[in-house]
Amino acid sequence: MSSAELPELDPEGFLSLDIFPQKNVSLSKLGSFRLGGPVACLLNCHRPEDLGEVRKILSRQGQDALLIGEGSNVLFSDEGWPGVMVRFTGGEPVPVDEGQGKWRFPASANLQAAVDWATREGWAGLESFNGIPGSLGGAVVGNAGAWGVQMEHVLCEVYGFGPRGEQKKYSVADCGFSYRNSKLKTGELWVSEVILQLEPGEKVFLEGERKRILDLRNARHPDWEKEPCIGSFFKNLEPSSAAERRQAAGYFLEQAGAKAFQVGGAGVYTGHANILVKRNESCRAADVAQLARELQAAVKKMHGIDLEREVRYLGNIPGEPGGAGFY
């Protein structure tokens, strides 16, 4: 990417916020898959109030931008991203007490840090999210969850900023939540803070649940820092029986022999058929996407089921219909 193609930003307004525009930063440094080409211009933001100012400045300069958190559920294109990206991470995980068990968290906070805080302080409601990587804001946008609990179940309100940096407040109903999805994925609202409803809990019990869930997760999920991955790649299937329970995508992938599949440097984790991993440094995002398509085809052929991605793609990835942003 030549310097002439880079977005032209006036850095003055950002510098007053101690935010320094960076050019040609490798996306492989930002997501848990450790894949992706360069982003033309990156702005790292950490405080909720600064996020609104950043969006105001970008609006005044006529610049569009994409907002990401920790990139734990995104496959970045090998070609990178030719525009401006704002990364909102690193917020202080200690929340503000809004009363009656409601706590205001910065969306930039790490999700596990928020869970750890709740456990230490004796507040119940977040135990099911133990071990899920990413930022709290990203978890809300994607309606992350486990063990039958999703973010929508503990969420009260979402605060953020519109396209011109104007402050907005969304109710749970405004967010349009569904399984692993929400209207927030459009990017119309940049989520800056969230209010969660927690209940008083027994610290000993909460610590026991924390350990139990982490042990279960660690037994089936790789350490992404040693074996880069994104986590569950495909959504579980909607209920199709009287039990009204979602059917695990991993079961159908296992039956289709997923663990034997490999494309380039991308493979399937030996402990969980629904987790795709970066096996070596030759791996590319295109390998992962091709592997995902082959797994979908195998499940379709054996079971007649169309698996839907949980992971979002960003940018131009060969064989995929997107390329204009998140899809």
Side-chain angles (χ1 to χ4, degrees):
M1 184 179 294
S2 69
S3 59
E5 295 173 306
L6 295 176
E8 290 299 327
L9 293 182
D10 180 353
E12 184 173 349
F14 301 109
L15 297 181
S16 67
L17 303 173
D18 289 328
I19 294 174
F20 304 92
Q22 302 174 61
K23 295 184 177 181
N24 280 328
V25 176
S26 175
L27 290 168
S28 66
K29 298 178 180 179
L30 306 185
S32 60
F33 228 134
R34 295 293 186 245
L35 294 170
V39 55
C41 184
L42 178 69
L43 301 169
N44 281 298
C45 184
H46 308 296
R47 297 179 298 189
E49 60 271 25
D50 290 347
L51 189 65
E53 290 302 311
V54 165
R55 202 160 199 193
K56 285 180 184 177
I57 295 169
L58 289 169
S59 176
R60 287 198 296 266
Q61 296 189 19
Q63 289 284 357
D64 292 325
L66 294 175
L67 179 70
I68 69 166
E70 295 186 13
S72 62
N73 203 39
V74 182
L75 179 66
F76 297 120
S77 165
D78 298 316
E79 298 177 13
W81 179 250
V84 180
M85 180 179 288
V86 178
R87 190 169 190 249
F88 187 43
T89 60
E92 176 58 50
V94 178
V96 176
D97 187 358
E98 298 285 318
Q100 298 182 321
K102 295 180 180 179
W103 294 89
R104 182 190 294 253
F105 288 81
S108 54
N110 176 269
L111 177 58
Q112 184 61 54
V115 175
D116 290 345
W117 173 88
T119 301
R120 288 195 309 271
E121 299 298 319
W123 288 97
L126 299 181
E127 307 84 65
S128 295
F129 303 98
N130 267 298
I132 297 178
S135 68
L136 185 53
V140 169
V141 170
N143 199 18
W147 313 106
V149 180
Q150 301 185 104
M151 287 305 307
E152 63 177 308
H153 298 143
V154 296
L155 186 70
C156 292
E157 293 172 331
V158 172
Y159 289 83
F161 301 96
R164 293 173 297 282
E166 68 275 23
Q167 288 187 315
K168 290 180 175 288
K169 179 176 77 172
Y170 281 20
S171 68
V172 174
D174 293 332
C175 296
F177 287 113
S178 59
Y179 178 63
R180 299 296 181 267
N181 200 10
S182 78
K183 291 181 180 178
L184 299 170
K185 283 187 176 182
T186 65
E188 175 75 14
L189 182 79
W190 283 11
V191 179
S192 60
E193 295 177 290
V194 300
I195 294 183
L196 304 182
Q197 178 69 63
L198 306 179
E199 303 296 333
E202 174 57 50
K203 292 182 183 180
V204 174
F205 172 78
L206 293 174
E207 181 56 42
E209 279 295 280
R210 177 183 182 278
K211 184 179 186 304
R212 182 183 70 84
I213 290 173
L214 285 175
D215 286 347
L216 287 170
R217 181 170 288 274
N218 291 337
R220 298 205 64 200
H221 291 242
D223 180 346
W224 69 265
E225 293 187 352
K226 297 177 180 178
E227 198 165 6
C229 67
I230 286 182
S232 295
F233 206 90
F234 299 104
K235 295 179 181 180
N236 290 333
L237 281 70
E238 291 299 320
S240 60
S241 68
E244 295 188 352
R245 295 180 60 184
R246 288 189 175 87
Q247 298 170 287
Y251 168 80
F252 299 101
L253 288 160
E254 183 86 40
Q255 294 295 307
K259 292 178 181 178
F261 282 58
Q262 181 159 336
V263 174
V268 178
Y269 182 54
T270 56
H272 198 310
N274 195 17
I275 297 179
L276 278 58
V277 295
K278 175 183 176 182
R279 293 217 183 279
N280 52 55
E281 289 305 313
S282 71
C283 183
R284 297 292 179 264
D287 295 340
V288 176
Q290 177 63 33
L291 175 58
R293 290 192 297 271
E294 292 185 8
L295 292 172
Q296 287 172 310
V299 170
K300 177 70 171 178
K301 181 178 180 180
M302 177 173 282
H303 299 286
I305 292 171
D306 293 307
L307 291 181
E308 182 181 348
R309 278 191 285 109
E310 183 172 326
V311 171
R312 301 178 76 188
Y313 290 175
L314 174 65
N316 183 35
I317 296 177
E320 299 296 329
F326 287 118
Y327 59 97

